Amino acid sequence: MATADRSIGIADVDNLPFWRRPLFMLFVVAAAMPLSFATWIALLNNFVIEVAAFDGIDIGWLHTVREIPGLLAVGVIALLVLLREQVLCLLSLILLGGATAVVAWFPGFEGLLITTMLSSIGFHYFETVNQSLQLQWIEKRKAPQTIGWIVAIGSFFSLLAYLGVILAWRWLNIDYNGIYMVAGGVTIVLALACFVIFPRFDSPSKQVVRMVLRRRYWLYYALQFMSGARRQIFVVFAAFMMVERFGFAVHEVTALFIINFIANMVFAPVMGKAVGYFGERVALVFEYAGLALVFLAYGGIYYFGWGALLAACLYILDHLFFALAFALKTYFQKIADPGDIAPTSAVAFTINHIAAVFLPALLGYLWINSPEFVFMLAATMALVSLILALFIPRHPAPGHETIFSQPGHAA
């Protein structure tokens, strides 16, 4: 299947109507991905507990399998020898949607591992290429604000997905299978529409189609590693806690997600402006300090027996702090050679998932005996990230990637 009629350079897109420009395509795929992924996340904990009878060890292994494609995201570089980034982006969406549609067909442990692996390949390869396209297609001076709007669009369509889950579950009595099939199907339709509507966009800089590891990007790599390790604890265990400890039902977990994404819709564009004004260092220090406090409070829920209301409020705060993570993208955009963006995005996703592959399974065993220590570990990781963020200069640029380097000395 081919994209629309011809190739066009990014510099020439002003001649196209807005709905056929690259920015609009970024908006469309930002909407398509969460329709599947948000539905999968919203139903996952209830589905695996109620249908598959998972415990903490099982959910840890499932999330370990889910992160293996993230570790292998560097494989995107090999695929880019054969496929344009734009095409790979859309094919990854189709795989994500297809795997989501059939989740309930395979409710056993092995079946869930297989569908999770397939959907994860689609998700992680999409995220890798989508990040690369954003940084290539959006001007640096507009990037924080524009990516903030993209985050807001993703949050809005996540909200629609969650509202759809509540409507289907509570009032239409649609089962897990029906919800998964509709969500995955809509993602596939939107991806196919992008093949038809948009021309092939040629990025302004030819991308290096090989693995790129540069010493001067070391701080970006370190922050990616810590981000992946820390985020896994939140993704795997925060929502699982809501169901296991407090007995949240499907519609209650989904309602919590809805509040999160309403908040992101409102605050993500504001955060984009803030990153543009204060810079990436201030934004990331604020994010990591907030996350450390939130994870400490999560631990207190288990240690001191604090209740479900506080846990729900912390979950919302957690999401708001994580929304600032796009500041790491714009930091890289400012320090990167233009041709390094695609291969380094792939390498960064692999680095981001090194700890993610083994942490969920290992921490699943710790969770059985001491859930509070899982969150204490996450708080420690957030503090390490905060220290690393202090090394970001106020005005990062090639050759001035950290406070220890001098402008004009890229290597």
Side-chain angles (χ1 to χ4, degrees), residues 9-195:
I10 293 296
D12 301 320
V13 298
D14 289 344
N15 297 323
L16 295 173
F18 179 72
W19 58 272
R20 295 195 72 204
R21 294 181 186 179
L23 182 59
F24 194 77
M25 179 182 152
L26 293 176
F27 290 163
V28 173
V29 297
M33 186 278 289
L35 291 177
S36 282
F37 186 68
T39 301
W40 185 83
I41 288 291
L43 295 177
L44 176 67
N45 290 292
N46 291 90
F47 183 76
V48 299
I49 289 174
E50 295 170 11
V51 178
F54 272 29
D55 58 19
I57 295 173
D58 295 327
I59 195 68
W61 276 109
L62 184 139
H63 281 282
T64 288
V65 167
R66 185 174 73 87
E67 296 304 337
I68 291 174
L71 183 66
L72 301 177
V74 71
V76 165
I77 298 172
L79 291 175
L80 291 180
V81 175
L82 304 174
L83 299 170
R84 300 171 66 96
E85 285 185 87
Q86 183 176 342
V87 173
L88 181 55
C89 176
L90 299 178
L91 290 177
S92 299
L93 269 183
I94 291 171
L95 179 58
L96 170 63
T100 300
V102 301
V103 166
W105 298 6
F106 307 98
F109 180 73
E110 295 80 4
L112 282 170
L113 292 186
I114 293 171
T115 56
T116 296
M117 173 67 83
L118 292 174
S119 65
S120 183
I121 292 171
F123 171 79
H124 284 100
Y125 279 34
F126 166 79
E127 284 292 303
T128 301
V129 179
N130 186 47
Q131 172 177 303
S132 173
L133 292 177
Q134 288 177 14
L135 300 183
Q136 292 176 67
W137 291 355
I138 301 172
E139 296 178 41
K140 288 183 183 180
R141 64 185 179 84
K142 296 180 179 179
Q145 179 79 71
T146 304
I147 294 176
W149 280 109
I150 290 172
V151 171
I153 289 169
S155 296
F156 175 73
F157 280 87
S158 295
L159 170 63
L160 289 184
Y162 292 138
L163 288 173
V165 168
I166 290 180
L167 176 65
W169 190 266
R170 292 284 290 174
W171 286 284
L172 300 180
N173 294 318
I174 299 176
D175 61 7
Y176 287 113
N177 184 48
I179 297 173
Y180 277 131
M181 289 188 68
V182 170
V186 174
T187 296
I188 292 172
V189 168
L190 288 175
L192 292 174
C194 287
F195 271 111

Side-chain angles (χ1 to χ4, degrees), residues 307-322:
L309 179 60
L310 176 61
C313 291
L314 290 172
Y315 194 81
I316 295 167
L317 278 175
D318 217 332
H319 263 272
L320 285 176
F321 284 120
F322 272 126

Side-chain angles (χ1 to χ4, degrees), residues 194-409:
C194 287
F195 271 111
V196 175
I197 293 171
F198 298 100
R200 293 168 296 181
F201 299 115
D202 293 327
S203 296
S205 299
K206 183 175 177 59
Q207 296 299 295
V208 177
V209 189
R210 58 178 172 79
M211 185 180 295
V212 171
L213 281 171
R214 300 200 190 279
R215 184 175 57 187
R216 65 189 184 86
Y217 297 158
W218 73 265
L219 181 56
Y220 176 65
Y221 298 148
L223 286 167
Q224 283 285 3
F225 176 81
M226 295 307 303
S227 174
R230 185 185 64 249
R231 187 170 181 81
Q232 279 312 299
I233 297 177
F234 168 73
V235 169
V236 176
F237 295 107
F240 190 75
M241 173 184 69
M242 300 297 180
V243 178
E244 183 186 62
R245 182 172 179 82
F246 299 113
F248 276 39
V250 167
H251 64 284
E252 291 170 325
V253 174
T254 306
L256 191 59
F257 291 161
I258 287 174
I259 295 171
N260 285 333
F261 284 105
I262 289 175
N264 277 347
M265 284 169 52
V266 173
F267 289 108
V270 177
M271 290 175 179
K273 280 189 175 180
V275 171
Y277 183 80
F278 292 106
E280 287 78 9
R281 179 175 60 190
V282 171
L284 291 173
V285 166
F286 179 74
E287 176 195 355
Y288 300 146
L291 288 173
L293 293 174
V294 168
F295 283 127
L296 287 172
Y298 274 142
I301 288 173
Y302 277 92
Y303 191 78
F304 297 108
W306 298 336
L309 179 60
L310 176 61
C313 291
L314 290 172
Y315 194 81
I316 295 167
L317 278 175
D318 217 332
H319 263 272
L320 285 176
F321 284 120
F322 272 126
L324 276 170
F326 66 80
L328 193 53
K329 288 184 185 181
T330 58
Y331 164 64
F332 173 64
Q333 185 187 37
K334 289 179 179 179
I335 67 172
D337 290 337
D340 287 351
I341 289 177
T344 306
S345 293
V347 169
F349 258 80
T350 293
I351 292 171
N352 185 277
H353 289 80
I354 291 173
V357 168
F358 65 83
L359 267 183
L362 291 179
L363 294 181
Y365 291 96
L366 179 61
W367 181 268
I368 295 296
N369 298 305
S370 303
E372 65 273 15
F373 285 108
V374 173
F375 293 123
M376 294 300 103
L377 179 61
T380 302
M381 293 175 180
L383 290 174
V384 172
S385 298
L386 188 155
I387 294 170
L388 290 171
L390 292 173
F391 299 158
I392 297 175
R394 176 63 181 90
H395 300 289
H400 191 41
E401 297 84 6
T402 74
I403 58 174
F404 307 112
S405 57
Q406 296 299 319
H409 290 81

